[in-house]
Amino acid sequence: MRKQLLNMRALISANKKEILGNKKEIARIEKQIDDKHVRKLQALRKRDNNSLAID
């Protein structure tokens, strides 16, 4: 079990280094995060605007 855990940690570490070394991949991930936050903010604003119209 311990050996399996260490192997998984090594794989995760290697993948993390590979991803962080790839500038295009970082930019893509950051864009996905930004887009997700923008959609959430738009949904919240729309909900707030709708509740104001009802009041």
Side-chain angles (χ1 to χ4, degrees):
M1 179 83 162
R2 180 168 167 78
K3 186 175 181 178
Q4 185 179 13
L5 180 64
L6 292 174
N7 287 338
M8 290 295 290
R9 285 185 179 166
L11 287 172
I12 290 169
S13 179
N15 286 341
K16 185 177 177 181
K17 286 178 185 176
E18 182 180 335
I19 290 170
L20 293 176
N22 186 341
K23 299 293 182 191
K24 285 185 180 179
E25 185 69 10
I26 292 171
R28 184 185 69 77
I29 292 168
E30 287 175 343
K31 185 176 182 333
Q32 281 183 328
I33 292 168
D34 290 344
D35 290 348
K36 184 176 181 179
H37 288 297
V38 167
R39 286 192 304 270
K40 282 185 178 180
L41 287 173
Q42 288 173 340
L44 287 172
R45 286 184 186 132
K46 184 177 181 181
R47 189 185 73 202
D48 288 346
N49 287 340
N50 287 341
S51 67
L52 290 175
I54 295 171
D55 293 339

